[in-house]
Every structure is written in structure tokens, then in C-alpha cells.
Amino acid sequence: MNISVSENIALHESVKELYQPGVGLTVRTILENVLAGQELNQADAITLFQTEGAELDALTACADQLRRASVGDTVTFVINRNINYTNVCYMGCRFCSFAKRKDDPEAEFFDLDEIVARAQEAWDRGATEVCIQGGLHPNIPGHFYRDMLKAIKAKLPDMHIHAFSPFEIWFGARKSKMSYAEFIQDLIDHGLGSMPGTAAEILDTTIRQQLTRDKLTTEEWVEIVKTAHKLGLPTTSTIMYGHIDGPEHWAAHLALLRDIQKETGGFTEFVPLGFIHHKTPLYLEHAGVRPGPTRLEHIRMHAVARLMLNGWIDNIQASWVKLGPELAQQMLSAGVNDLGGTLMNESISRAAGAEHGQEMHPDSFVQIMRNMRRQPVRRNTLYRHITVYDAPEAAPAAPRYAGAAL
Ligand SMILES: C[S@@+](CC[C@H](N)C(=O)[O-])C[C@H]1O[C@@H](n2cnc3c(N)ncnc32)[C@H](O)[C@@H]1O
Ligand SMILES: Nc1c(NC[C@H](O)[C@H](O)[C@H](O)CO)[nH]c(=O)[nH]c1=O
Ligand SMILES: N[C@@H](Cc1ccc(O)cc1)C(=O)O
Ligand code: SF4
């Protein structure tokens, strides 16, 4: 983002929360520097992850200001459907309650007809995207990933297929005895439109080893994502936070995503995914694991992400499945400009005990955005605007959610 000097001054002076009593010189200086166009470094991000009260208000006001300067007052969503084609998985990630063994009565595997029928139903309901992710089923042949794309595209050539996390790519490439580049290129040739940036969790070796014994390593995640970007395939980016992690991991994770983006430009958005703890082995069987992020941690994560990624990844998404609609709405005043997808089906968070339902109707998205006096826009997966709704009426200012008030 290029901000001219005069705009910098305007930006800076309008954030009056920076000069309230209770905002110490350290936090004020960090925020002033960011508003003046300086890159937020990891040490300062760690400081911001610890703010509360008036300092947290100043952080969210700064995130809100940067959001307005980079993407304006529109808030976007996408009409999509999740297709979790199998929950059979032997990786044993301790934070995951979605995965089942083959002989489990709840084990599921959708054949190609079922997958196409779900995509067709979604298309008939106005979806532009299917988001396809599943377990690493030991019996899946390497060509199954390509077969899913071919089957959907044969029936629905214009459906955007957002599919296969870097972990599924790692698995499919091994099964197919192909390099990551060969495997991804083959998927692109058969209609893959973009990849979810899940399986990122916390991009830190020590943390990953505690989450999953043989987790895809940080280096492998980075290599697969960069390979996709270099082949012209965009991906999203995520973090799963609020378990055994902390501010220093969050700051390093965001800095790594920013470095990748500087090299490839391939990330479309960043989505913080709060850990849903209720039914997970990680929480139930290990002492000292936190029950997901606190409300203030959610706010800080979205706000610091806006500051850290500013000018590089301009779309910061709040996940309503993880947060619920009220908290997702509050995130709109902490740097967020996107509320993700309608989803239609949701199994991963639900399996871990989340209770926010499986679908968000477009009218509900529009209502949430209007409540915050923001302009609702329906987008496609790659952020092209599809429907611009009527602007919210000029009315009393939107509620501001901030640290002290929560
Ligand atoms: C369930 S996996 C499906 C794709 C593939 N099996 C993989 O691991 O990449 C997708 C993502 O869901 C998220 N997830 C799983 N369990 C979760 C939980 N309890 N709370 C929050 N996010 C979770 C993780 O970020 C994970 O990478
Ligand atoms: N599918 C899930 C998402 N998806 C995020 C968006 O719906 C969309 O796929 C993305 O914005 C692409 O542009 N988010 C969740 O938290 N949980 C899901 O299951
Ligand atoms: N939000 C992710 C997809 C996702 C799917 C399931 C989850 O539990 C979390 C995230 C993306 O679109 O890139
Ligand atoms: S997160 Fe993915 S790889 Fe890990 S157990 Fe769950 S489904 Fe399997």
C-alpha cells in the first residue's frame, strides 16, 4: 500500500485513542510508527499481543483505521459449501475430533456421485465455491484428488474449487509418487482454483510436535504453499491459536506469512481459527492446555494481524463457525473486512464441540454488516465483487467494541 505523507498525518491524527490516559509511551510509539507506514516487527507485535484496557482500545482503533485505508468500508462474504469427503484419518492430530478410524461407526466416505450431487445442490442454491477438505484416508488412491475435480468440473464447469490443504497435497503427492509441483500442476490442469491454507496451525516445530507426532513440518507447509503460488495457484493462510501456544509463536507465524507473501504474492486472505477445545484429546487428556482463546485474545489476534500484514495480505477474515455471529461482528471493528463463507455444511468445528451451526444465510451476513454500518458485498473466492447490497442507512455510529468495554 502506498500512503502519501499528507495521508499519513491524517491517518495518525484521527486515531484519538492513541492519546488517551492509560496508553503508555511504548504502545503509543509502536502504533504511531505503524500508522506512519513502518513495518511492525515481531518484538513489537508481542508487546501488542499483551495490551489491555485503553491500550487495547488504541490497538483496535489503529487496526480499524488501517482497514479503512486499505480496503474501505465494504465487508465481503462468499456463498460456498464445505464438502468434507471423508473423516477417516490416521494422522492423529490431538486437536482434531473430526478424524475417525475406518471401522468407527461414524466413519464417512463420499463417492464421486455424492460429491458431485453436493456440488450441484450448492450451485442450485447460488454457491460460487466448494471448499473441499478431508482426512488422510489410508486407502485413497493418489488419483482420487484429480477424479474429484474432473467429476465436479464435468457437471459444473464454472464452480470454483477451493480444495486440499497442504497436508492433503503432501499425502496425495506421496501416493502418486509425484513431486509437489507435478501433483499440484496436475490438479490445476483438472480445475483446481485455489487451496485452503489450513494445516498451518502454529508454524513452529516444537509446538507442531506436541500437536501431532508426525505433522507436516513447517518447512514442508511453506514449500507446498510457495510451490502452489509459483504455479499461479492462490491459497488462503490461517493460524490455529489458543491451545499450547503464545504471543511469541503468533508474532513469528505472522512474520513468516508476511515473508512468504513478499516473495510470491499468492495469499488471498488470512483467517485466524480459534482452537475449539471441548471434545478434543489435546484438551481432555493433557494438563495445561488452554480452552481456546479468550475474547480479548481473539480481538488482539485479528487486530495485530491487520497491523502486521498491512499492505501485503489486505483481507482479514473472521470465522463465524469458530467465533459465533456476535463475536464475528465485533471483529469488524478490530481490523476485519471479510466474514468468510455461508458453508452450508460444517463438520470440523462441530466435531470439536462448536455450537454455531452449519450455515450462515446471506441475509444474516448482510444484517451483521449493516449493524456495523458497513457496506455488504458478496464476493467470489478471489475477492471479485459479485453483488453490492444497499448501503447501510446513515444512522448513529456503529457500536465500537474495544478492550475496556468488553
Ligand atoms: C480438519 S483439517 C482437514 C484437512 C486436512 N486433514 C488437514 O489436516 O490439513 C483442516 C483444519 O481444521 C482445523 N481444525 C481442526 N480441528 C480444529 C479444532 N479443534 N479447532 C479449530 N480448528 C481446527 C485445523 O487448522 C486443520 O488444519
Ligand atoms: N470452509 C471453512 C471456512 N472457509 C472460509 C471461506 O468460506 C472460504 O472458503 C474462503 O474465504 C475462500 O475465499 N472457514 C472456516 O472457518 N471453516 C470452514 O469450514
Ligand atoms: N478457512 C479455510 C478453510 C477451513 C476449513 C475448515 C476449518 O476447520 C478451518 C478452515 C480456508 O478457506 O482456507
Ligand atoms: S487435522 Fe487433518 S490430518 Fe490431522 S487428524 Fe484431523 S483430519 Fe487428520
Side-chain angles (χ1 to χ4, degrees):
M1 184 179 58
N2 284 320
I3 313 180
S4 70
V5 175
S6 59
E7 273 170 331
N8 278 345
I9 292 164
L11 258 176
H12 179 145
E13 282 175 350
S14 60
V15 184
K16 59 179 188 312
E17 285 84 348
L18 261 63
Y19 308 99
Q20 295 299 311
V23 180
L25 195 58
T26 308
V27 167
R28 201 176 89 187
T29 308
I30 295 172
L31 297 178
E32 282 178 342
N33 287 343
V34 172
L35 287 171
Q38 246 185 52
E39 193 158 87
L40 181 66
N41 65 37
Q42 284 187 55
D44 289 348
I46 292 171
T47 302
L48 296 181
F49 274 126
Q50 285 151 357
T51 49
E52 46 190 45
E55 294 194 330
L56 180 53
D57 289 347
L59 166 62
T60 57
C62 175
D64 200 41
Q65 186 75 303
L66 289 180
R67 183 270 308 157
R68 190 170 304 115
S70 56
V71 291
D73 278 335
T74 59
V75 181
T76 47
F77 71 95
V78 58
I79 302 189
N80 68 348
R81 183 175 195 175
N82 272 348
I83 305 180
N84 298 126
Y85 55 94
T86 184
N87 57 4
V88 175
C89 188
Y90 283 69
M91 287 316 304
C93 302
R94 296 185 177 98
F95 57 81
C96 178
S97 316
F98 164 75
K100 302 284 177 295
R101 300 275 149 181
K102 266 195 297 199
D103 50 8
D104 190 299
E106 290 178 45
E108 277 187 335
F109 189 92
F110 299 163
D111 61 18
L112 292 178
D113 289 344
E114 174 70 21
I115 293 168
V116 174
R118 285 178 179 241
Q120 178 73 57
E121 222 175 78
W123 181 260
D124 295 341
R125 293 187 54 201
T128 54
E129 170 196 305
V130 281
C131 174
I132 308 183
Q133 296 194 90
L136 311 187
H137 189 312
N139 298 352
I140 286 184
H143 59 76
F144 188 69
Y145 298 92
R146 178 204 299 149
D147 295 346
M148 286 193 255
L149 301 171
K150 278 171 70 175
I152 294 172
K153 283 289 178 182
K155 206 71 194 291
L156 300 166
D158 295 328
M159 179 69 96
H160 182 104
I161 308 184
H162 177 66
F164 314 137
S165 84
F167 214 177
E168 290 165 281
I169 298 291
W170 168 86
F171 187 68
R174 270 185 17 156
K175 288 249 172 185
S176 310
K177 299 192 169 47
M178 287 183 187
S179 69
Y180 299 142
E182 288 166 342
F183 187 68
I184 295 171
Q185 185 60 56
D186 183 65
L187 298 178
I188 295 173
D189 293 342
H190 290 92
L192 185 62
S194 53
M195 269 168 54
T198 39
E201 325 310 1
I202 295 287
L203 292 166
D204 175 275
T205 306
T206 326
I207 297 281
R208 293 177 88 73
Q209 279 166 351
Q210 294 174 69
L211 296 179
T212 310
R213 206 164 300 113
D214 292 311
K215 186 83 189 176
L216 181 77
T217 64
T218 300
E219 293 71 25
E220 287 166 330
W221 190 91
V222 172
E223 189 186 343
I224 291 170
V225 161
K226 280 189 187 173
T227 303
H229 293 177
K230 286 174 185 168
L231 292 170
L233 187 74
T235 76
T236 62
S237 59
T238 65
I239 185 170
M240 189 190 68
Y241 64 110
H243 36 86
I244 51 172
D245 48 346
E248 65 284 15
H249 306 114
W250 305 337
H253 185 107
L254 289 170
L256 176 57
L257 296 180
R258 184 171 64 188
D259 283 345
I260 297 172
Q261 186 73 338
K262 286 179 183 176
E263 190 180 324
T264 68
F267 289 130
T268 54
E269 70 195 22
F270 174 67
V271 197
L273 303 169
F275 171 50
I276 309 286
H277 66 287
H278 311 275
K279 299 182 181 171
T280 63
L282 183 65
Y283 180 71
L284 297 173
E285 296 166 16
H286 299 267
V289 175
R290 292 184 309 120
T294 63
R295 188 148 64 141
L296 295 189
E297 283 173 332
H298 283 304
I299 294 171
R300 294 182 194 115
M301 176 59 75
H302 291 80
V304 175
R306 170 62 65 188
L307 268 57
M308 192 94 176
L309 303 174
N310 192 46
W312 295 105
I313 306 178
D314 280 338
N315 298 308
I316 307 294
Q317 179 179 126
S319 167
W320 64 266
V321 227
K322 313 284 179 203
L323 295 165
E326 291 83 15
L327 211 44
Q329 175 175 315
Q330 294 182 20
M331 295 305 143
L332 294 179
S333 61
V336 164
N337 70 308
D338 183 80
L339 292 179
T342 54
L343 303 184
M344 298 187 197
N345 297 108
E346 206 292 321
S347 350
I348 297 167
S349 301
R350 208 157 42 97
E355 289 176 341
H356 303 301
Q358 297 207 60
E359 176 160 16
M360 181 74 83
H361 194 275
D363 292 346
S364 308
F365 274 133
V366 169
Q367 190 56 50
I368 289 174
M369 296 167 190
R370 289 215 170 114
N371 290 347
M372 299 299 286
R373 305 287 174 261
R374 302 271 279 280
Q375 168 73 62
V377 172
R378 175 183 167 208
R379 63 166 171 90
N380 72 2
T381 310
L382 303 178
Y383 283 81
R384 195 175 58 74
H385 289 187
I386 297 176
T387 312
V388 179
Y389 293 81
D390 290 341
E393 292 149 30
R400 272 208 45 84
Y401 299 100
L406 290 172

